């Protein structure tokens, strides 16, 4: 009965572990989550990109050691797979505001490692509400992640779009 | 003497083409840049993520057709390669403000196609100044993109870091 977990399950668990390391201010655990062989890059909200494992982990040490850093809640994770590279997008809730994150994982050794992270502000809460106590995502959500279905149109914000 | 262009050159050209399609408000060209077989995702600044080719291209159509959309200048592109997936990070300048973008390309057919884009505000201009007329990046920049060198520490913003 014990089948090995599939990639989506592994990636969602690892994405949770990333946010658990953040919540626990655990720099050692954070270091195990980031890739060692593959190149890494990290873009915190408002920060310029950090390139290379040393710079990325030093950035995290600063954040994790900072007593002014408010807690962060991860919501609505969603997996996209491209073979040996995978993206987990998720919302982050910080002090009642929302961020949207792209977490890019690569296969390294027997598992997956985080190789790129970008988070930035988003104007809307995650679909389905402002809070999420589930550890597993909605399966329907995973099933249609790479569909070209028309339903996705409701993801579009109201009004005409602008980048600024 | 005519050697085929390497992946970095191809990716930088394609990244330029993405911003050229934006500048030319060319929805058809934009559609050719995005992947057809691989799953796609796009996160515009402040927007929730768009999943699936139809939703992503519809989002672009709204932006490209919007007369209020200001022009956008791409600066300081930098390539990170993970085999068949590649990341181009770059700055975007819009109305004197800066955004930082992650553009993820996947191999599709004989070339590369855009599969994920996220852009969000950044507090600092790109390294090397506020404008960039070069079409090719600094080779030194490419050479050290996956190094763990200490020089990258100067990418860290001053003071202690916070995510908010």
């Amino acid at each position: 009965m014990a089948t090995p977990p599939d990639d989506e399950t592994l990636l969602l668990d690892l994405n949770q572990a990333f946010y658990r390391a953040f919540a626990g201010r655990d720099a050692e655990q954070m270091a195990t989550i980031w890739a060692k062989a593959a190149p890494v890059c990290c873009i915190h909200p408002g920060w310029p990109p950090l390139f290379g494992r040393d710079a990325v982990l030093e950035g995290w040490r600063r954040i994790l050691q900072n007593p002014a850093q408010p807690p962060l809640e991860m919501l609505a994770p969603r997996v996209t797979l491209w073979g040996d590279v995978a993206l987990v997008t998720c919302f982050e809730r910080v002090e009642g505001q929302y961020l949207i994150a792209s977490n890019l994982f690569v296969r390294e050794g027997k598992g997956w490692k985080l190789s790129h992270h970008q988070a930035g502000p988003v104007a809307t809460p995650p679909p389905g509400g402002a809070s999420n106590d589930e550890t597993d995502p909605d399966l329907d959500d995973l099933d249609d992640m790479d569909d070209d279905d028309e339903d996705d149109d409701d993801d579009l914000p109201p009004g005409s779009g602008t980048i600024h």
Side-chain angles (χ1 to χ4, degrees), chain A:
Chain A
M1 288 294 284
T3 54
D6 60 18
D7 281 324
E8 278 86 357
T9 304
L10 286 171
L11 287 157
L12 290 168
D13 285 351
L14 195 52
N15 195 62
Q16 279 279 6
F18 170 60
Y19 288 97
R20 215 161 34 232
F22 181 91
R25 298 175 179 268
D26 188 338
E28 260 182 66
Q29 183 61 21
M30 183 61 80
T32 70
I33 287 164
W34 283 85
K36 285 180 183 151
V40 297
C41 173
C42 187
I43 307 177
H44 296 294
W47 295 34
L50 305 175
F51 293 101
R53 186 172 160 89
D54 284 356
V56 169
L57 294 185
E58 172 57 23
W60 279 110
R61 268 189 296 272
R62 291 197 193 189
I63 291 165
L64 299 176
Q65 289 170 0
N66 185 351
Q69 173 60 50
L72 185 154
E73 184 186 9
M74 188 272 288
L75 302 159
R78 183 160 167 165
V79 176
T80 302
L81 267 169
W82 301 280
D84 291 336
V85 178
L87 175 73
V88 183
T89 56
C90 54
F91 287 71
E92 300 174 351
R93 188 180 187 187
V94 188
E95 295 185 318
Q97 302 294 308
Y98 292 98
L99 301 168
I100 179 79
S102 296
N103 296 325
L104 195 75
F105 294 88
V106 296
R107 284 192 210 271
E108 197 172 281
K110 289 182 179 177
W112 294 88
K113 293 287 177 181
L114 189 55
S115 205
H116 177 60
H117 165 82
Q118 177 170 4
V122 61
T124 54
S131 199
N132 177 7
D133 293 328
E134 291 176 353
T135 50
D136 294 321
D138 190 312
L139 282 181
D140 293 338
D141 227 44
L142 280 177
D143 284 347
D144 74 1
M145 69 185 175
D146 54 358
D147 287 355
D148 287 346
D149 57 11
E150 297 299 315
D151 293 343
D152 282 338
D153 277 1
D154 61 8
D155 288 336
L156 288 172
S160 56
T162 317
I163 295 172
H164 59 84

